[in-house]
């Protein structure tokens, strides 16, 4: 095995370096992965630019990357579900498996969860990376490695829809047409939503949303009148949404989620924005609007893989930019500018014919 383990390490805000790190030694329940595809998430950009994301703060150098897929290069002594050569998607959060949350099926809330590229835990943007075998999912031959990496954001969208109770016939409002808004759109449609409207401040994002199946889109400006926006959304849907999902985190869109949702409906808050927001709670309470937050996902990776492998969800249009591991800084800059939708880093070195040169 080559000793090349080129790795993207964030030392502090705006200080992302490529350097060699040791190839990890695996335990009995782990696999060593030859990494293939790693997508860039908004949280990655937050860490790179500001050194934090929400209440997670970078204090020591951290390897980046958590939306990923790879090929099994070595298996631990206890591993039965995977073999060398298997192509896998990597669920990046590994819980303790013993606490109350793990035992009751909400392992994403485990206080000791080890989540890739969340301080102080290292991520997987490197040539080689080790991970718990039971949080790696074998990909069918017809599912690409890029799709495998995109199961991570798709799982967020699925979790948002499940938290909101999206079901057949529902009218759904999605606020924000960035990557998470778009995967929520795909998930809501796959779960049977009959009409979906999505908003954004960029027409280019709304164009993509229409291509992915949004029934209606609404371009908003930062100075739009709130009451007018609510009326416009209701007019587009022809009703009040059963479920509203805020995929932006901006105070204005959080407010819209509560104001627009029908009485007895559900507003799901996904976007991470300001830690404190002024909200129209009195009206939401009087109309019994359920307000639910989400944190990552739980038990949704198998669902995401099933929806993609069966053809019910097509993730391929989401990948708009491709970079090599050596071009990581350029890739992060494209993601920072918000160009395209999903920036994908291809980790393994390639030959003149763009074929992976196995290490």
């Amino acid at each position: 095995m080559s000793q090349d383990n080129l790795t993207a390490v964030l030392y502090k805000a705006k200080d992302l370096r490529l350097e060699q790190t040791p190839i990890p030694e695996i335990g009995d329940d782990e696999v060593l992965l030859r990494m293939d595809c790693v997508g860039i998430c908004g949280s990655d950009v937050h860490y790179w630019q500001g050194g934090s994301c929400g209440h997670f703060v970078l204090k020591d150098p951290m390897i980046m990357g958590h939306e990923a897929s790879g090929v099994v290069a070595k298996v631990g002594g206890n591993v039965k579900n995977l073999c060398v050569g298997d192509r896998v998607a990597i669920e990046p959060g590994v819980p303790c498996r013993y606490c109350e949350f793990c035992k009751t099926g909400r392992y994403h809330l485990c206080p000791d969860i080890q989540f890739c590229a969340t301080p102080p835990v290292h991520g997987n943007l490197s040539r080689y990376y080790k991970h718990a075998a039971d949080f790696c999912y074998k990909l069918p031959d017809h599912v690409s490695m890029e799709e495998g990496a995109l199961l991570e954001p798709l799982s967020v969208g699925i979790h948002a829809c499940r938290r909101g109770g999206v079901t057949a016939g529902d009218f759904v409002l999605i606020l924000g047409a960035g990557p998470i808004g778009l995967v929520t759109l795909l998930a809501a449609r796959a779960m049977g939503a009959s009409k979906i409207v999505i908003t954004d401040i960029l027409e280019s994002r709304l164009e993509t949303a229409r291509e992915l199946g949004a029934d209606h889109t609404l371009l908003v400006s930062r100075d739009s009148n709130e009451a007018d926006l609510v009326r416009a959304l209701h007019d587009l849907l022809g009703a009040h949404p059963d479920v509203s999902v805020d995929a932006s985190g901006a105070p204005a869109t959080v407010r819209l989620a509560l104001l627009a949702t029908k009485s007895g409906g559900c507003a799901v808050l996904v976007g991470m924005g300001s830690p404190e927001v002024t909200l129209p709670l009195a009206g939401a309470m009087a109309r019994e609007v359920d307000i639910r937050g989400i944190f990552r996902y739980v038990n949704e990776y198998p669902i995401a893989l099933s929806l993609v492998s069966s053809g019910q969800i097509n993730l391929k249009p989401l990948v708009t930019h491709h970079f090599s591991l050596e071009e990581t800084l350029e890739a992060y800059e494209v993601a920072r500018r918000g160009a395209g939708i999903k920036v994908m880093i291809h980790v393994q070195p390639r030959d003149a014919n763009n074929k992976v040169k196995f290490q």
Side-chain angles (χ1 to χ4, degrees), residues 91-115 134-135 137 155 162 295-302:
E91 181 172 354
V94 180
C96 77
R97 302 177 178 83
Y98 297 104
C99 70
E100 171 194 356
F101 298 104
C102 289
K103 288 185 175 181
T104 55
R106 303 187 74 182
Y107 61 82
H108 62 315
L109 301 179
C110 171
D112 296 318
I113 194 168
Q114 301 289 295
F115 196 93
D134 57 328
F135 280 81
Y137 299 84
S155 293
R162 294 180 80 195
F295 186 59
R296 297 170 179 158
Y297 35 78
V298 59
N299 299 309
E300 269 100 12
Y301 250 73

Side-chain angles (χ1 to χ4, degrees), residues 12-274:
K12 59 184 178 181
K14 298 182 175 65
D15 186 6
L16 181 60
R17 310 177 195 176
L18 287 173
E19 59 188 36
Q20 292 290 339
T21 62
I23 294 177
E25 295 292 331
I26 62 172
D28 286 340
D29 299 310
E30 296 176 322
V31 290
L32 180 67
L33 299 170
R34 188 175 65 245
M35 298 302 296
D36 191 285
C37 287
V38 181
I40 299 179
C41 172
S43 65
D44 297 320
V45 176
H46 281 298
Y47 286 123
W48 175 45
Q49 287 297 293
S52 65
C53 183
H55 63 276
F56 297 105
V57 179
L58 182 71
K59 297 180 180 178
D60 298 298
M62 178 182 74
I63 298 172
M64 300 299 287
H66 67 273
E67 300 180 358
S69 62
V71 179
V72 176
K74 186 177 180 181
V75 298
N78 295 336
V79 175
K80 307 297 182 184
N81 62 314
L82 296 171
C83 299
V84 171
D86 284 346
R87 302 159 58 252
V88 300
I90 304 163
E91 181 172 354
V94 180
C96 77
R97 302 177 178 83
Y98 297 104
C99 70
E100 171 194 356
F101 298 104
C102 289
K103 288 185 175 181
T104 55
R106 303 187 74 182
Y107 61 82
H108 62 315
L109 301 179
C110 171
D112 296 318
I113 194 168
Q114 301 289 295
F115 196 93
C116 289
T118 299
V121 181
H122 288 305
N124 48 34
L125 186 47
S126 58
R127 300 266 200 241
Y128 289 92
Y129 165 76
K130 71 174 182 178
H131 200 68
D134 57 328
F135 280 81
C136 295
Y137 299 84
K138 185 176 178 179
L139 298 174
D141 291 341
H142 66 282
V143 176
S144 70
M145 299 298 271
E146 291 181 359
E147 291 172 298
L150 290 175
L151 294 186
E152 201 279 340
L154 177 58
S155 293
V156 176
I158 292 171
H159 189 49
C161 289
R162 294 180 80 195
R163 284 282 285 165
V166 174
T167 190
D170 277 351
F171 287 8
V172 176
L173 165 64
I174 300 171
L175 297 145
I180 294 302
L182 294 175
V183 293
T184 302
L185 162 65
L186 294 172
R189 183 66 78 202
M191 292 181 178
S194 64
K195 191 176 287 188
I196 302 171
V197 62
I198 189 167
T199 72
D200 204 273
I201 59 174
L202 298 176
E203 176 58 34
S204 59
R205 288 181 171 181
L206 295 179
E207 181 179 349
T208 302
R210 290 190 288 271
E211 293 171 356
L212 293 177
D215 297 291
H216 301 285
T217 60
L218 181 64
L219 182 67
V220 300
S221 65
R222 298 186 188 278
D223 58 355
S224 297
N225 179 272
E226 188 173 79
D228 290 342
L229 285 177
V230 172
R231 281 192 293 270
L233 290 168
H234 292 166
D235 288 344
L236 284 173
L237 279 173
H240 296 198
D242 300 284
V243 181
S244 296
V245 180
D246 173 53
S248 165
T253 57
V254 177
R255 290 178 57 87
L256 275 177
L258 273 60
L259 291 167
T261 304
K262 80 172 187 180
S263 297
C266 184
V268 182
L269 308 183
V270 182
M272 293 184 68
S274 302

Side-chain angles (χ1 to χ4, degrees), residues 216-352:
H216 301 285
T217 60
L218 181 64
L219 182 67
V220 300
S221 65
R222 298 186 188 278
D223 58 355
S224 297
N225 179 272
E226 188 173 79
D228 290 342
L229 285 177
V230 172
R231 281 192 293 270
L233 290 168
H234 292 166
D235 288 344
L236 284 173
L237 279 173
H240 296 198
D242 300 284
V243 181
S244 296
V245 180
D246 173 53
S248 165
T253 57
V254 177
R255 290 178 57 87
L256 275 177
L258 273 60
L259 291 167
T261 304
K262 80 172 187 180
S263 297
C266 184
V268 182
L269 308 183
V270 182
M272 293 184 68
S274 302
E276 295 186 9
V277 180
T278 301
L279 296 176
L281 284 179
M285 291 168 60
R287 296 186 297 109
E288 291 197 353
V289 174
D290 288 345
I291 303 170
R292 298 181 181 177
I294 80 159
F295 186 59
R296 297 170 179 158
Y297 35 78
V298 59
N299 299 309
E300 269 100 12
Y301 250 73
I303 299 171
L305 180 54
S306 176
L307 289 172
V308 171
S309 64
S310 66
Q312 294 180 71
I313 285 181
N314 179 15
L315 294 173
K316 293 178 181 177
L318 298 181
V319 183
T320 55
H321 293 79
H322 301 266
F323 292 89
S324 68
L325 179 58
E326 291 82 355
E327 298 170 319
T328 292
L329 287 172
E330 295 95 319
Y332 266 71
E333 179 58 28
V334 169
R336 184 193 67 81
R337 296 200 311 266
I341 305 171
K342 181 57 65 174
V343 177
M344 191 67 65
I345 296 175
H346 300 269
V347 174
Q348 290 301 314
R350 297 176 183 259
D351 61 20

